[in-house]
Structures are given as structure tokens and as C-alpha cells.
Amino acid sequence: MRMAKQEISDSLRAERARYVGLNGGSSAKHEEAKRWLPGGDTRNSIFWGPFPIYVSRAEGSKIVDVDGNERVDFINNMTTLILGHRHPAVIDALREQLERGVSYPAPTPLVVEWGELMCERVPSLDKVRFVNSGTEATLNAIRAARAFSGKTMLAKCEGAYHGNHDAVQISVTPDVGLAGDGESPDAVLMTRGMTPRSADEIVIMPYNDLENAEQVIRTHADELAAVIVEPINGQCGMVPAEPEFLEGLRRLTSDLGILLIFDEVIAFRASRGGAQEYYGVTPDLTCFGKVIGGGLPVGAFGGRQDVMSMWDPSQSGGPQVSHAGTFNGNPMTAAAGVATLRELSVDVYEDLGKKGDYLRQKLRDVIAEIEAPMGVTGAASLFGIQATPEAVRDYRSYATNDSDLLEMVFMGMMNEGYLLSSKCAGNVSAAHSYAELDGFVEAFGRVLERAWGSRGS
């Protein structure tokens, strides 16, 4: 049952007004923030209008703002907090390390254990290096691929976010009208301030379209250092790669001698060994972030021995590729990361996957009952609510989302006591109960009923 654009706008205005009324303290804090931060913001991914909530504390599955509003958290700091907020094992590890010191000018035993845990879990990791963000992870993995291959070009999928550096801030959310043919998209710079030359060192391929992706890759094979891909596309609402797409990329890159990089900054949630275990596809290099740091700033990249050896400072003449960082492998993050990975057993991942399946199906049932022009995407513990009747499998189908309808759902869920990303993507943590999943679904139904019910139908 479709709604007219004006009806969606009216429902959105009503949800916004309710939100403003519930969050006076956050509104005041945001006005204060604007005195010191551009627009009151220092992190675009958690900004939304008319103002974001300001958090005072969190525990388990719940987050509390400065107005005292308690919400069940289904974004978990953009998929980071897989165990939920303030998990006892993580807090104990941080407290213990805090008593010993927060950072040192030398490595600690913890970082060795952290590396061992990562390499033991992930099929592709012979060696790993730690950094402080997913952005740093992809930056360094791409640099490694270029150094190893002697080539400079990169291929990525349209609509994929791989961090905030010039090599990949291209065709992330392009205007479809400026992005050319969907079968072989044009490279579109994401933001002002980038050198136009950035677009000359990358080629864009469609997601989940092996035939056309292969054509793009083969056309540029002699120039390509690497192909980078998210096994689960977070930018487009947790859209999973179709197995044959990843399998085809692996065969193709192997045949052509091109390195394949998996960006598992989000997708490492898929199973104990990450998305590559989940799909049974082994890349040459993998990038990590989010969950591996237990809630602290983190990133990592690793893979084949011959590629990772380029970073080895103990070899004659030093490393072939330089890489420093004051907080790489810092002991506080290592402590939280080790504690988190220890907790993430096969059973925990199986439970997360079952909860994710349960939630996605229940949301689809509500959408079908109300006959809303919407859908649900996701895999494992990840999900996305799509405000389009189209089946979302790539950027072009994702771009058909009704932005007002998405915002209406986001605001409505906030008003109901549930926190998602502002694009209505979310994830299940180990702290969530089935009662909370059911509560989320019921709240989603109420939000849609307020909109569709207002039509008198």
C-alpha cells in the first residue's frame, strides 16, 4: 500500500515534533556543542537532524541519554559492541590494564596474544598488523597491494564505504545521474577537498553483478593492484554479497594475478572466522576494525605471508613499506580486544545468527501485513530496513530508497525507545534478549501503523 509523498512528509513532521519534545536536554547540549564544533558535530555518521541525542551512560543492551530516555541499542556504536555495553569481561580487562598503564613506547605481551587470536580465527591471516581505525586498515592494505604488485590501480564496488581516505572515498553515495552506466559506473569523488587525480587511480564495478564486474576487472587487469570488496555492504543497509559474486571475484583475481582484499570492518561479525569463513572464500588480504577492539579505537590488516613480509622491520635493509603509529597495538585496546575475542565462541556466533534471522523475518512479516513498500536486508547479526519496494542487492537498487520514509522510521523508532543508525541499519548484540527483539518488531509495527493508519484505511 503506497503512501503519497505528502503523507510521508506529514508523518515525518509528526515524528520529528515528538522527538523534539522528548529530548530537550539533548537539544540544549547540541546548541552548546555548536559553539565549539562545526555544526556541533565531530563525527558525521552519528549526526542527524534536528539534533542527535547526547548519551550519558549505557549498560548491556540499553543506552540512556541526558534527558533520562532509555533506549534499546540496535546500532551498538555502528556494529562495534558485539557483546553489548560494558560487558564484564571487557571492563575487567580494561580495569586491570589501567592499573598497569595506558600506553608505552614498546610492545606488550597482550598484543602478541591478540595477534595469535586473530590469526588462529581467520583463514587468510598468516600475519597481522594493528592500527587504530578501519580507515587506517584499508589505507595500509591498499598500500601493501600497490607495493607488492608494482601497480597502482584499485577496483571497488559502487556504493561501498572503505574508510575516509582519498583512495576509496569515491563512488560511495554518488548521484546516480552523475555516475554513468550501472554496468560500468563512473568514478565520482565523494567530497570536496579531494584531488581529482584520485578518481584516475580507481575503477568502479557493480556489486553482486559478476558478469559486469568481471568485464571491468578484465579491461583494467594489467593496471590493477587489487580488488577490494565488502562481503556485507554496510553503506547500503547491510546488503550481503551473493556467494557466487565473491566466489567469482576470487577465481578471477587468482587467474589474473590481482590481489583480493576483503573489507571485514563490519562483516567480521558474520562468524567466528569472519565473512570469509561464513562464505568459504579466502582473500589475500583482510581489513578489520569495530568488534576486534572491544569498543576502543581499533583497526587491523593482515593476510598472506609474502605480502605482509613487506612490513617486516627486522629484514635486511628494513621494511619495504613504512608504517608507524603512536597507538598501534596500544595495551588498552589490546586488553579489550583480547577479552572480546575470548568471549566470542562458536556458540555465541550461532546465537547471534539465530537472533538476526528471527528479527529479519519478523520485520518482513510486519511489512507484509501492513503492505508497506519496504524490505529488509542483512545477514548473520546484521540487518537493514529498506524504504523501497525494490529488492536491494546493489547501490542502484539501494538508491531507490525514499529518504523521508527512512527518516520517519528512524525518528519513530527513537520515539518508541529503540536506537538504529540514521539510515535504519542495525545489528543484534549478545546482550539482546528475544523479548527485546519482539519489542523492537512491535515498535516498528506501531511506527508504520501511525503512518499508514493516518490514511483512514
Side-chain angles (χ1 to χ4, degrees), residues 390-437:
E390 287 199 28
V392 176
R393 60 188 295 271
D394 57 14
Y395 179 71
R396 299 292 169 117
S397 50
Y398 171 75
T400 66
N401 265 273
D402 185 316
S403 59
D404 282 353
L405 181 52
L406 268 185
E407 186 182 352
M408 185 203 76
V409 172
F410 167 69
M411 282 287 171
M413 293 303 288
M414 291 279 284
N415 294 336
E416 289 284 339
Y418 294 89
L419 180 61
L420 288 165
S421 81
S422 60
K423 293 183 178 180
C424 292
N427 57 91
V428 178
S429 80
H432 285 125
S433 67
Y434 277 93
E436 289 171 330
L437 303 186

mmCIF file of all heavy atoms in Angstrom, residues 390-437:
data_model
loop_
_atom_site.group_PDB
_atom_site.id
_atom_site.type_symbol
_atom_site.label_atom_id
_atom_site.label_comp_id
_atom_site.label_asym_id
_atom_site.label_seq_id
_atom_site.Cartn_x
_atom_site.Cartn_y
_atom_site.Cartn_z
ATOM 1 N N GLU A 390 11.712 -2.213 -4.100
ATOM 2 C CA GLU A 390 12.678 -2.990 -4.885
ATOM 3 C C GLU A 390 13.510 -3.909 -3.993
ATOM 4 O O GLU A 390 13.782 -3.579 -2.834
ATOM 5 C CB GLU A 390 13.627 -2.059 -5.648
ATOM 6 C CG GLU A 390 12.989 -1.353 -6.823
ATOM 7 C CD GLU A 390 14.029 -0.831 -7.806
ATOM 8 O OE1 GLU A 390 15.128 -1.417 -7.885
ATOM 9 O OE2 GLU A 390 13.728 0.161 -8.482
ATOM 10 N N ALA A 391 13.918 -5.039 -4.525
ATOM 11 C CA ALA A 391 14.850 -5.916 -3.822
ATOM 12 C C ALA A 391 16.225 -5.269 -3.877
ATOM 13 O O ALA A 391 16.785 -5.077 -4.965
ATOM 14 C CB ALA A 391 14.874 -7.290 -4.471
ATOM 15 N N VAL A 392 16.786 -4.902 -2.727
ATOM 16 C CA VAL A 392 18.059 -4.186 -2.690
ATOM 17 C C VAL A 392 19.209 -5.192 -2.687
ATOM 18 O O VAL A 392 19.360 -5.991 -1.759
ATOM 19 C CB VAL A 392 18.142 -3.264 -1.456
ATOM 20 C CG1 VAL A 392 19.512 -2.609 -1.371
ATOM 21 C CG2 VAL A 392 17.044 -2.204 -1.512
ATOM 22 N N ARG A 393 20.013 -5.132 -3.748
ATOM 23 C CA ARG A 393 21.156 -6.040 -3.875
ATOM 24 C C ARG A 393 22.424 -5.313 -4.313
ATOM 25 O O ARG A 393 23.485 -5.912 -4.386
ATOM 26 C CB ARG A 393 20.853 -7.184 -4.840
ATOM 27 C CG ARG A 393 20.507 -6.753 -6.243
ATOM 28 C CD ARG A 393 20.021 -7.907 -7.093
ATOM 29 N NE ARG A 393 21.033 -8.914 -7.323
ATOM 30 C CZ ARG A 393 21.901 -8.901 -8.337
ATOM 31 N NH1 ARG A 393 21.903 -7.883 -9.199
ATOM 32 N NH2 ARG A 393 22.768 -9.878 -8.479
ATOM 33 N N ASP A 394 22.296 -3.999 -4.614
ATOM 34 C CA ASP A 394 23.443 -3.213 -5.051
ATOM 35 C C ASP A 394 23.137 -1.735 -4.801
ATOM 36 O O ASP A 394 22.082 -1.392 -4.243
ATOM 37 C CB ASP A 394 23.760 -3.464 -6.527
ATOM 38 C CG ASP A 394 22.580 -3.172 -7.448
ATOM 39 O OD1 ASP A 394 21.606 -2.529 -7.019
ATOM 40 O OD2 ASP A 394 22.637 -3.588 -8.617
ATOM 41 N N TYR A 395 24.049 -0.849 -5.216
ATOM 42 C CA TYR A 395 23.842 0.570 -4.930
ATOM 43 C C TYR A 395 22.676 1.153 -5.704
ATOM 44 O O TYR A 395 21.920 1.973 -5.174
ATOM 45 C CB TYR A 395 25.113 1.368 -5.230
ATOM 46 C CG TYR A 395 24.897 2.844 -4.968
ATOM 47 C CD1 TYR A 395 24.763 3.317 -3.664
ATOM 48 C CD2 TYR A 395 24.783 3.755 -6.019
ATOM 49 C CE1 TYR A 395 24.526 4.661 -3.412
ATOM 50 C CE2 TYR A 395 24.560 5.101 -5.776
ATOM 51 C CZ TYR A 395 24.437 5.550 -4.465
ATOM 52 O OH TYR A 395 24.188 6.867 -4.213
ATOM 53 N N ARG A 396 22.515 0.759 -6.965
ATOM 54 C CA ARG A 396 21.460 1.354 -7.781
ATOM 55 C C ARG A 396 20.070 1.018 -7.201
ATOM 56 O O ARG A 396 19.181 1.872 -7.194
ATOM 57 C CB ARG A 396 21.575 0.894 -9.227
ATOM 58 C CG ARG A 396 22.888 1.286 -9.906
ATOM 59 C CD ARG A 396 22.997 2.783 -10.114
ATOM 60 N NE ARG A 396 24.328 3.198 -10.521
ATOM 61 C CZ ARG A 396 24.617 3.773 -11.692
ATOM 62 N NH1 ARG A 396 23.678 4.003 -12.578
ATOM 63 N NH2 ARG A 396 25.862 4.137 -11.955
ATOM 64 N N SER A 397 19.882 -0.197 -6.729
ATOM 65 C CA SER A 397 18.595 -0.528 -6.108
ATOM 66 C C SER A 397 18.466 0.145 -4.744
ATOM 67 O O SER A 397 17.375 0.601 -4.370
ATOM 68 C CB SER A 397 18.411 -2.039 -6.001
ATOM 69 O OG SER A 397 19.539 -2.673 -5.405
ATOM 70 N N TYR A 398 19.561 0.268 -4.010
ATOM 71 C CA TYR A 398 19.522 0.974 -2.727
ATOM 72 C C TYR A 398 19.144 2.444 -2.927
ATOM 73 O O TYR A 398 18.428 3.029 -2.100
ATOM 74 C CB TYR A 398 20.883 0.879 -2.037
ATOM 75 C CG TYR A 398 20.994 1.750 -0.804
ATOM 76 C CD1 TYR A 398 20.374 1.385 0.387
ATOM 77 C CD2 TYR A 398 21.697 2.953 -0.845
ATOM 78 C CE1 TYR A 398 20.455 2.194 1.506
ATOM 79 C CE2 TYR A 398 21.783 3.765 0.273
ATOM 80 C CZ TYR A 398 21.165 3.375 1.449
ATOM 81 O OH TYR A 398 21.237 4.189 2.559
ATOM 82 N N ALA A 399 19.593 3.043 -4.014
ATOM 83 C CA ALA A 399 19.341 4.461 -4.273
ATOM 84 C C ALA A 399 17.872 4.768 -4.523
ATOM 85 O O ALA A 399 17.486 5.939 -4.563
ATOM 86 C CB ALA A 399 20.182 4.931 -5.460
ATOM 87 N N THR A 400 17.027 3.740 -4.667
ATOM 88 C CA THR A 400 15.594 3.971 -4.831
ATOM 89 C C THR A 400 14.886 4.157 -3.489
ATOM 90 O O THR A 400 13.664 4.384 -3.460
ATOM 91 C CB THR A 400 14.930 2.812 -5.597
ATOM 92 O OG1 THR A 400 14.994 1.608 -4.812
ATOM 93 C CG2 THR A 400 15.607 2.583 -6.939
ATOM 94 N N ASN A 401 15.605 4.072 -2.374
ATOM 95 C CA ASN A 401 15.003 4.291 -1.059
ATOM 96 C C ASN A 401 14.364 5.673 -0.978
ATOM 97 O O ASN A 401 14.908 6.663 -1.489
ATOM 98 C CB ASN A 401 16.070 4.183 0.028
ATOM 99 C CG ASN A 401 16.146 2.810 0.657
ATOM 100 O OD1 ASN A 401 15.431 2.505 1.602
ATOM 101 N ND2 ASN A 401 17.037 1.966 0.126
ATOM 102 N N ASP A 402 13.231 5.754 -0.304
ATOM 103 C CA ASP A 402 12.567 7.019 -0.022
ATOM 104 C C ASP A 402 13.199 7.586 1.250
ATOM 105 O O ASP A 402 12.985 7.055 2.350
ATOM 106 C CB ASP A 402 11.067 6.781 0.171
ATOM 107 C CG ASP A 402 10.282 8.068 0.361
ATOM 108 O OD1 ASP A 402 10.746 8.946 1.122
ATOM 109 O OD2 ASP A 402 9.196 8.193 -0.230
ATOM 110 N N SER A 403 13.965 8.652 1.129
ATOM 111 C CA SER A 403 14.717 9.178 2.269
ATOM 112 C C SER A 403 13.799 9.680 3.377
ATOM 113 O O SER A 403 14.117 9.537 4.568
ATOM 114 C CB SER A 403 15.669 10.285 1.814
ATOM 115 O OG SER A 403 14.956 11.348 1.210
ATOM 116 N N ASP A 404 12.661 10.254 3.029
ATOM 117 C CA ASP A 404 11.724 10.718 4.056
ATOM 118 C C ASP A 404 11.110 9.552 4.821
ATOM 119 O O ASP A 404 10.934 9.615 6.047
ATOM 120 C CB ASP A 404 10.607 11.552 3.420
ATOM 121 C CG ASP A 404 11.049 12.972 3.089
ATOM 122 O OD1 ASP A 404 12.174 13.353 3.472
ATOM 123 O OD2 ASP A 404 10.281 13.695 2.438
ATOM 124 N N LEU A 405 10.793 8.489 4.120
ATOM 125 C CA LEU A 405 10.236 7.306 4.782
ATOM 126 C C LEU A 405 11.267 6.673 5.714
ATOM 127 O O LEU A 405 10.938 6.269 6.839
ATOM 128 C CB LEU A 405 9.751 6.305 3.736
ATOM 129 C CG LEU A 405 9.112 5.007 4.254
ATOM 130 C CD1 LEU A 405 7.995 5.287 5.250
ATOM 131 C CD2 LEU A 405 8.602 4.174 3.075
ATOM 132 N N LEU A 406 12.523 6.613 5.268
ATOM 133 C CA LEU A 406 13.583 6.097 6.141
ATOM 134 C C LEU A 406 13.710 6.945 7.398
ATOM 135 O O LEU A 406 13.814 6.419 8.511
ATOM 136 C CB LEU A 406 14.926 6.097 5.396
ATOM 137 C CG LEU A 406 15.353 4.863 4.632
ATOM 138 C CD1 LEU A 406 16.767 5.054 4.093
ATOM 139 C CD2 LEU A 406 15.286 3.603 5.490
ATOM 140 N N GLU A 407 13.708 8.272 7.226
ATOM 141 C CA GLU A 407 13.845 9.141 8.388
ATOM 142 C C GLU A 407 12.635 9.028 9.311
ATOM 143 O O GLU A 407 12.769 9.067 10.533
ATOM 144 C CB GLU A 407 14.039 10.596 7.957
ATOM 145 C CG GLU A 407 14.322 11.516 9.143
ATOM 146 C CD GLU A 407 14.470 12.973 8.773
ATOM 147 O OE1 GLU A 407 14.515 13.288 7.567
ATOM 148 O OE2 GLU A 407 14.535 13.808 9.707
ATOM 149 N N MET A 408 11.466 8.857 8.732
ATOM 150 C CA MET A 408 10.274 8.686 9.553
ATOM 151 C C MET A 408 10.390 7.443 10.431
ATOM 152 O O MET A 408 10.064 7.467 11.632
ATOM 153 C CB MET A 408 9.039 8.574 8.662
ATOM 154 C CG MET A 408 7.721 8.518 9.423
ATOM 155 S SD MET A 408 6.407 7.737 8.455
ATOM 156 C CE MET A 408 6.842 6.005 8.581
ATOM 157 N N VAL A 409 10.870 6.345 9.841
ATOM 158 C CA VAL A 409 11.050 5.119 10.616
ATOM 159 C C VAL A 409 12.113 5.315 11.690
ATOM 160 O O VAL A 409 11.930 4.927 12.850
ATOM 161 C CB VAL A 409 11.417 3.944 9.687
ATOM 162 C CG1 VAL A 409 11.811 2.711 10.501
ATOM 163 C CG2 VAL A 409 10.250 3.611 8.762
ATOM 164 N N PHE A 410 13.221 5.936 11.330
ATOM 165 C CA PHE A 410 14.289 6.184 12.300
ATOM 166 C C PHE A 410 13.784 7.014 13.478
ATOM 167 O O PHE A 410 13.966 6.646 14.643
ATOM 168 C CB PHE A 410 15.459 6.893 11.614
ATOM 169 C CG PHE A 410 16.470 7.468 12.557
ATOM 170 C CD1 PHE A 410 17.281 6.633 13.314
ATOM 171 C CD2 PHE A 410 16.609 8.843 12.701
ATOM 172 C CE1 PHE A 410 18.215 7.163 14.194
ATOM 173 C CE2 PHE A 410 17.536 9.375 13.583
ATOM 174 C CZ PHE A 410 18.339 8.530 14.328
ATOM 175 N N MET A 411 13.142 8.148 13.176
ATOM 176 C CA MET A 411 12.621 9.007 14.237
ATOM 177 C C MET A 411 11.556 8.288 15.055
ATOM 178 O O MET A 411 11.510 8.379 16.288
ATOM 179 C CB MET A 411 12.034 10.282 13.638
ATOM 180 C CG MET A 411 13.054 11.309 13.233
ATOM 181 S SD MET A 411 13.755 12.090 14.692
ATOM 182 C CE MET A 411 15.098 13.017 13.951
ATOM 183 N N GLY A 412 10.688 7.566 14.361
ATOM 184 C CA GLY A 412 9.638 6.837 15.062
ATOM 185 C C GLY A 412 10.192 5.800 16.021
ATOM 186 O O GLY A 412 9.713 5.661 17.159
ATOM 187 N N MET A 413 11.226 5.073 15.587
ATOM 188 C CA MET A 413 11.830 4.065 16.464
ATOM 189 C C MET A 413 12.539 4.717 17.649
ATOM 190 O O MET A 413 12.518 4.190 18.769
ATOM 191 C CB MET A 413 12.799 3.192 15.666
ATOM 192 C CG MET A 413 12.121 2.310 14.626
ATOM 193 S SD MET A 413 10.859 1.205 15.297
ATOM 194 C CE MET A 413 11.885 0.012 16.171
ATOM 195 N N MET A 414 13.164 5.873 17.427
ATOM 196 C CA MET A 414 13.750 6.611 18.544
ATOM 197 C C MET A 414 12.673 6.991 19.554
ATOM 198 O O MET A 414 12.849 6.859 20.778
ATOM 199 C CB MET A 414 14.434 7.875 18.026
ATOM 200 C CG MET A 414 15.683 7.638 17.219
ATOM 201 S SD MET A 414 17.111 7.349 18.258
ATOM 202 C CE MET A 414 17.447 9.023 18.787
ATOM 203 N N ASN A 415 11.547 7.454 19.053
ATOM 204 C CA ASN A 415 10.448 7.844 19.928
ATOM 205 C C ASN A 415 9.854 6.656 20.676
ATOM 206 O O ASN A 415 9.301 6.809 21.769
ATOM 207 C CB ASN A 415 9.355 8.550 19.120
ATOM 208 C CG ASN A 415 9.810 9.880 18.556
ATOM 209 O OD1 ASN A 415 10.727 10.511 19.072
ATOM 210 N ND2 ASN A 415 9.183 10.314 17.465
ATOM 211 N N GLU A 416 9.983 5.478 20.087
ATOM 212 C CA GLU A 416 9.475 4.254 20.715
ATOM 213 C C GLU A 416 10.477 3.645 21.697
ATOM 214 O O GLU A 416 10.148 2.682 22.390
ATOM 215 C CB GLU A 416 9.139 3.220 19.635
ATOM 216 C CG GLU A 416 7.915 3.557 18.800
ATOM 217 C CD GLU A 416 6.612 3.293 19.544
ATOM 218 O OE1 GLU A 416 6.628 2.512 20.513
ATOM 219 O OE2 GLU A 416 5.583 3.873 19.158
ATOM 220 N N GLY A 417 11.704 4.185 21.728
ATOM 221 C CA GLY A 417 12.694 3.665 22.664
ATOM 222 C C GLY A 417 13.678 2.688 22.072
ATOM 223 O O GLY A 417 14.216 1.837 22.786
ATOM 224 N N TYR A 418 13.967 2.824 20.752
ATOM 225 C CA TYR A 418 14.907 1.919 20.087
ATOM 226 C C TYR A 418 15.842 2.747 19.200
ATOM 227 O O TYR A 418 15.391 3.621 18.454
ATOM 228 C CB TYR A 418 14.160 0.881 19.237
ATOM 229 C CG TYR A 418 13.335 -0.052 20.094
ATOM 230 C CD1 TYR A 418 12.020 0.272 20.419
ATOM 231 C CD2 TYR A 418 13.883 -1.225 20.615
ATOM 232 C CE1 TYR A 418 11.259 -0.564 21.232
ATOM 233 C CE2 TYR A 418 13.135 -2.062 21.421
ATOM 234 C CZ TYR A 418 11.826 -1.726 21.729
ATOM 235 O OH TYR A 418 11.090 -2.548 22.545
ATOM 236 N N LEU A 419 17.131 2.439 19.270
ATOM 237 C CA LEU A 419 18.141 3.194 18.535
ATOM 238 C C LEU A 419 18.688 2.383 17.375
ATOM 239 O O LEU A 419 19.174 1.259 17.560
ATOM 240 C CB LEU A 419 19.285 3.589 19.472
ATOM 241 C CG LEU A 419 20.438 4.389 18.851
ATOM 242 C CD1 LEU A 419 19.937 5.714 18.290
ATOM 243 C CD2 LEU A 419 21.546 4.621 19.875
ATOM 244 N N LEU A 420 18.599 2.950 16.175
ATOM 245 C CA LEU A 420 19.185 2.417 14.949
ATOM 246 C C LEU A 420 20.183 3.430 14.425
ATOM 247 O O LEU A 420 20.317 4.528 14.967
ATOM 248 C CB LEU A 420 18.093 2.229 13.886
ATOM 249 C CG LEU A 420 17.090 1.110 14.051
ATOM 250 C CD1 LEU A 420 15.923 1.336 13.105
ATOM 251 C CD2 LEU A 420 17.741 -0.222 13.749
ATOM 252 N N SER A 421 20.868 3.099 13.332
ATOM 253 C CA SER A 421 21.588 4.142 12.613
ATOM 254 C C SER A 421 20.549 5.033 11.943
ATOM 255 O O SER A 421 19.395 4.634 11.742
ATOM 256 C CB SER A 421 22.522 3.546 11.564
ATOM 257 O OG SER A 421 21.812 3.204 10.386
ATOM 258 N N SER A 422 20.955 6.240 11.585
ATOM 259 C CA SER A 422 20.004 7.160 10.962
ATOM 260 C C SER A 422 19.542 6.679 9.594
ATOM 261 O O SER A 422 18.562 7.193 9.058
ATOM 262 C CB SER A 422 20.620 8.555 10.848
ATOM 263 O OG SER A 422 21.796 8.520 10.059
ATOM 264 N N LYS A 423 20.221 5.670 9.030
ATOM 265 C CA LYS A 423 19.784 5.078 7.765
ATOM 266 C C LYS A 423 19.001 3.788 7.987
ATOM 267 O O LYS A 423 18.748 3.025 7.059
ATOM 268 C CB LYS A 423 20.990 4.806 6.862
ATOM 269 C CG LYS A 423 21.683 6.077 6.382
ATOM 270 C CD LYS A 423 22.819 5.746 5.439
ATOM 271 C CE LYS A 423 23.489 7.012 4.918
ATOM 272 N NZ LYS A 423 24.594 6.700 3.990
ATOM 273 N N CYS A 424 18.639 3.544 9.256
ATOM 274 C CA CYS A 424 17.828 2.375 9.623
ATOM 275 C C CYS A 424 18.553 1.051 9.428
ATOM 276 O O CYS A 424 17.940 0.020 9.137
ATOM 277 C CB CYS A 424 16.487 2.367 8.891
ATOM 278 S SG CYS A 424 15.394 3.702 9.412
ATOM 279 N N ALA A 425 19.867 1.062 9.607
ATOM 280 C CA ALA A 425 20.631 -0.172 9.682
ATOM 281 C C ALA A 425 20.871 -0.502 11.147
ATOM 282 O O ALA A 425 20.876 0.382 12.009
ATOM 283 C CB ALA A 425 21.962 -0.042 8.952
ATOM 284 N N GLY A 426 21.055 -1.774 11.441
ATOM 285 C CA GLY A 426 21.269 -2.162 12.824
ATOM 286 C C GLY A 426 21.937 -3.516 12.947
ATOM 287 O O GLY A 426 22.305 -4.153 11.953
ATOM 288 N N ASN A 427 22.076 -3.947 14.184
ATOM 289 C CA ASN A 427 22.695 -5.235 14.459
ATOM 290 C C ASN A 427 22.277 -5.728 15.832
ATOM 291 O O ASN A 427 21.913 -4.950 16.708
ATOM 292 C CB ASN A 427 24.216 -5.140 14.360
ATOM 293 C CG ASN A 427 24.784 -4.087 15.282
ATOM 294 O OD1 ASN A 427 25.134 -4.361 16.429
ATOM 295 N ND2 ASN A 427 24.866 -2.841 14.807
ATOM 296 N N VAL A 428 22.331 -7.024 15.977
ATOM 297 C CA VAL A 428 21.993 -7.678 17.243
ATOM 298 C C VAL A 428 23.285 -7.921 18.012
ATOM 299 O O VAL A 428 24.297 -8.331 17.436
ATOM 300 C CB VAL A 428 21.273 -9.006 16.987
ATOM 301 C CG1 VAL A 428 20.963 -9.715 18.296
ATOM 302 C CG2 VAL A 428 19.989 -8.775 16.198
ATOM 303 N N SER A 429 23.256 -7.657 19.310
ATOM 304 C CA SER A 429 24.399 -7.971 20.161
ATOM 305 C C SER A 429 24.070 -9.171 21.034
ATOM 306 O O SER A 429 22.903 -9.577 21.160
ATOM 307 C CB SER A 429 24.769 -6.775 21.046
ATOM 308 O OG SER A 429 23.903 -6.699 22.166
ATOM 309 N N ALA A 430 25.102 -9.720 21.658
ATOM 310 C CA ALA A 430 24.898 -10.851 22.563
ATOM 311 C C ALA A 430 24.049 -10.464 23.763
ATOM 312 O O ALA A 430 23.480 -11.336 24.424
ATOM 313 C CB ALA A 430 26.251 -11.386 23.020
ATOM 314 N N ALA A 431 23.954 -9.167 24.043
ATOM 315 C CA ALA A 431 23.180 -8.704 25.195
ATOM 316 C C ALA A 431 21.679 -8.646 24.919
ATOM 317 O O ALA A 431 20.891 -8.537 25.863
ATOM 318 C CB ALA A 431 23.676 -7.321 25.626
ATOM 319 N N HIS A 432 21.265 -8.728 23.672
ATOM 320 C CA HIS A 432 19.847 -8.630 23.354
ATOM 321 C C HIS A 432 19.109 -9.920 23.682
ATOM 322 O O HIS A 432 19.584 -11.027 23.377
ATOM 323 C CB HIS A 432 19.639 -8.318 21.863
ATOM 324 C CG HIS A 432 19.942 -6.910 21.494
ATOM 325 N ND1 HIS A 432 20.839 -6.570 20.497
ATOM 326 C CD2 HIS A 432 19.477 -5.730 21.976
ATOM 327 C CE1 HIS A 432 20.907 -5.251 20.392
ATOM 328 N NE2 HIS A 432 20.095 -4.723 21.286
ATOM 329 N N SER A 433 17.937 -9.776 24.257
ATOM 330 C CA SER A 433 17.061 -10.912 24.524
ATOM 331 C C SER A 433 16.014 -11.019 23.412
ATOM 332 O O SER A 433 15.770 -10.052 22.673
ATOM 333 C CB SER A 433 16.355 -10.726 25.864
ATOM 334 O OG SER A 433 15.452 -9.626 25.800
ATOM 335 N N TYR A 434 15.381 -12.181 23.338
ATOM 336 C CA TYR A 434 14.307 -12.331 22.354
ATOM 337 C C TYR A 434 13.133 -11.418 22.688
ATOM 338 O O TYR A 434 12.423 -10.952 21.791
ATOM 339 C CB TYR A 434 13.862 -13.794 22.263
ATOM 340 C CG TYR A 434 14.745 -14.619 21.353
ATOM 341 C CD1 TYR A 434 15.827 -15.326 21.851
ATOM 342 C CD2 TYR A 434 14.518 -14.654 19.978
ATOM 343 C CE1 TYR A 434 16.651 -16.059 21.017
ATOM 344 C CE2 TYR A 434 15.333 -15.389 19.125
ATOM 345 C CZ TYR A 434 16.403 -16.093 19.655
ATOM 346 O OH TYR A 434 17.222 -16.806 18.821
ATOM 347 N N ALA A 435 12.933 -11.139 23.969
ATOM 348 C CA ALA A 435 11.876 -10.198 24.349
ATOM 349 C C ALA A 435 12.164 -8.820 23.775
ATOM 350 O O ALA A 435 11.251 -8.105 23.332
ATOM 351 C CB ALA A 435 11.754 -10.133 25.868
ATOM 352 N N GLU A 436 13.433 -8.419 23.751
ATOM 353 C CA GLU A 436 13.798 -7.126 23.162
ATOM 354 C C GLU A 436 13.647 -7.143 21.649
ATOM 355 O O GLU A 436 13.268 -6.128 21.045
ATOM 356 C CB GLU A 436 15.214 -6.744 23.575
ATOM 357 C CG GLU A 436 15.311 -6.355 25.042
ATOM 358 C CD GLU A 436 16.729 -6.189 25.532
ATOM 359 O OE1 GLU A 436 17.633 -6.879 25.005
ATOM 360 O OE2 GLU A 436 16.931 -5.369 26.444
ATOM 361 N N LEU A 437 13.933 -8.268 21.030
ATOM 362 C CA LEU A 437 13.710 -8.378 19.588
ATOM 363 C C LEU A 437 12.223 -8.236 19.278
ATOM 364 O O LEU A 437 11.834 -7.520 18.346
ATOM 365 C CB LEU A 437 14.228 -9.710 19.053
ATOM 366 C CG LEU A 437 15.701 -10.070 19.290
ATOM 367 C CD1 LEU A 437 16.050 -11.357 18.550
ATOM 368 C CD2 LEU A 437 16.623 -8.950 18.863
#
